[in-house]
Amino acid sequence: MTSTETLYSHYLEHPQVSTDTRNITKDCIFFALKGDNFNANEFAEQALDNGAAFAVVDEEQYAKNERCLLVDDVLTALQNLARHHRKQLNIPVIGLTGSNGKTTSKELINAVLAERYKTFATSGNLNNHIGVPLSILSIGSDVQIAVIEMGANHQKEIELLCTIAQPTHGIITNVGMAHLDGFGGFEGVKKGKAELYAYLKENHGYTFINRNNPYLLEMSNTAGLNKLIYYGTEHGNTIKGNLKSSDPFIEVEWTNHEVATTVKTNLTGSYNFENILAAICIGDFFDMEPDQINAGLAGYQPKNNRSQLTKTERNTVICDFYNANPSSMEAALNNLSALSSPQKVAILGDMFELGPESAKQHELIAQQATQSGLNEVILIGKHFYGFKDVLDATFFETPGEAANYLQQNVMNNNLILLKGSRGMKLENLLQYL
């Protein structure tokens, strides 16, 4: 069997890793992972033919030559290799998790820190048991600070990811009604996210905390954290800020006890105020000047269909359809209500992974939407559809049915919120708006 040390010696010579034969780069190391419906051991030879230097496999029949490295379990080997690499990196690693705002916060923190440091941040949403190892293995020797996003849909997952990323600093953006099925309810969400706090406590790490969030304060007290850096809207925090405007873009005034300054961003959605404050707090902690912090925030352009304001030929659309849960839905609807526009429409898709809470949470969001004084509410998906006879909204069982409706009922001069879980694929509706 190939040891982690031997794998690492190969990695140092070939520091690119792939788990997908469709994305083989020359001289990379291919890890043949298994899933419920695939066994990448079968593609090891193809990966080598496509230019990989080595293929890591865990079935002896596929270890056909010296370039096939046999291990007990490919996923475990990948994670152990990442752990080994992380131990060689003598840099701050900021571990980040939360129910909402993870990716936006990660991007904002990276945008700020990059004004002074050579940074690395998780690409896209590579934030799970496979993505985090791949992220760690992408950190080069020239990186000064890394920001690693960690996602989870069940307990003990953040604990595992912490053993791989080994954060020296950490932040939980918030805790909300997300992945309730896997976590076993809201208390389970809090317990799962708090695994980051437990790791930081045990390893003497620093924790950035939004003092306005009672759940985070409770969780930090329970964990017994003592290296705390606070941000929020009140005096006594390391960073104090207030939301000056969010219509449509966010403007924030903030102070670090010495200098008061204002920054205008390209972000929409008042719920992003706390994500901006977090990035300010972390930049300040790492000795950045206010003008550097503001430059990073002002230069950040939202993407990935998260709080992204898009002007089409006929309407203005808040593209927020990367994902959804009850907490983020409520915040998005509140933001839509606060924005200035004569014509407002909410197009909402089903929220997934809510377990026994699903019907109740969909009803609450549907009620909020229909009571928000909007010109039209369109609800899409089988979960929302169950309330078609009791609520005043336009209902469709599938996005395809909604697309037909939007083609026949053209909207003009509307401010439209388009939001739903990733699996609803609401991006397909944008062309009709």
Side-chain angles (χ1 to χ4, degrees), residues 19 33-34 38 75 78-79 82-83 96-97 102-103 106 122-137 148-154 156-165 179 193 322 353:
T19 60
L33 296 173
K34 293 176 182 174
F38 67 90
L75 176 58
L78 176 66
Q79 293 172 340
R83 288 187 182 96
L96 183 151
T97 191
K102 289 188 296 297
T103 299
K106 177 247 315 182
T122 300
S123 176
N125 65 333
L126 289 174
N127 62 12
N128 64 3
H129 62 296
I130 298 170
V132 168
L134 292 176
S135 296
I136 295 297
L137 291 167
I148 301 297
E149 180 181 335
M150 297 184 288
N153 57 20
H154 57 268
K156 297 298 182 182
E157 194 167 5
I158 295 297
E159 180 181 283
L160 168 68
L161 299 180
C162 282
T163 69
I164 298 169
H179 303 295
K193 299 301 182 184
Y322 186 83
E353 297 184 55

Side-chain angles (χ1 to χ4, degrees), residues 285-303:
F285 178 86
F286 284 103
D287 299 321
M288 294 185 64
E289 297 295 327
D291 60 343
Q292 293 176 311
I293 293 171
N294 287 349
L297 293 171
Y300 172 70
Q301 294 287 344
K303 50 188 183 297

Side-chain angles (χ1 to χ4, degrees), residues 333 337 363-374 377 391-392:
L333 284 168
S337 295
E363 182 179 17
L364 289 173
I365 292 301
Q367 288 175 339
Q368 180 187 356
T370 55
Q371 295 168 8
S372 294
L374 305 176
V377 175
L391 292 172
D392 184 18

Side-chain angles (χ1 to χ4, degrees), residues 55-126:
V56 181
V57 298
D58 53 15
E59 295 183 14
E60 194 167 358
Q61 61 178 312
Y62 296 104
K64 296 183 176 180
N65 57 54
E66 69 281 356
R67 292 169 61 201
C68 294
L69 307 175
L70 184 64
V71 297
D72 286 325
D73 179 82
V74 170
L75 176 58
T76 301
L78 176 66
Q79 293 172 340
N80 285 339
L81 180 64
R83 288 187 182 96
H84 189 81
H85 180 56
R86 171 65 186 96
K87 288 175 181 175
Q88 318 309 313
L89 300 170
N90 187 26
I91 60 171
V93 171
I94 302 166
L96 183 151
T97 191
S99 297
N100 301 304
K102 289 188 296 297
T103 299
T104 298
S105 293
K106 177 247 315 182
E107 297 288 348
L108 286 169
I109 293 165
N110 185 54
V112 166
L113 293 175
E115 290 291 317
R116 174 170 177 178
Y117 300 98
K118 171 67 175 176
T119 63
F120 172 87
T122 300
S123 176
N125 65 333
L126 289 174

Side-chain angles (χ1 to χ4, degrees), residues 352-407:
F352 297 163
E353 297 184 55
L354 297 181
E357 285 280 317
S358 184
K360 176 185 176 182
Q361 295 303 324
H362 279 88
E363 182 179 17
L364 289 173
I365 292 301
Q367 288 175 339
Q368 180 187 356
T370 55
Q371 295 168 8
S372 294
L374 305 176
N375 296 88
E376 187 171 6
V377 175
I378 298 174
L379 301 173
I380 308 168
K382 64 179 183 179
H383 296 298
F384 277 130
Y385 198 74
F387 303 102
K388 66 181 177 63
D389 295 327
V390 295
L391 292 172
D392 184 18
T394 304
F395 289 86
F396 299 102
E397 282 195 274
T398 68
E401 293 173 3
N404 291 334
Y405 172 82
L406 293 171
Q407 283 179 282

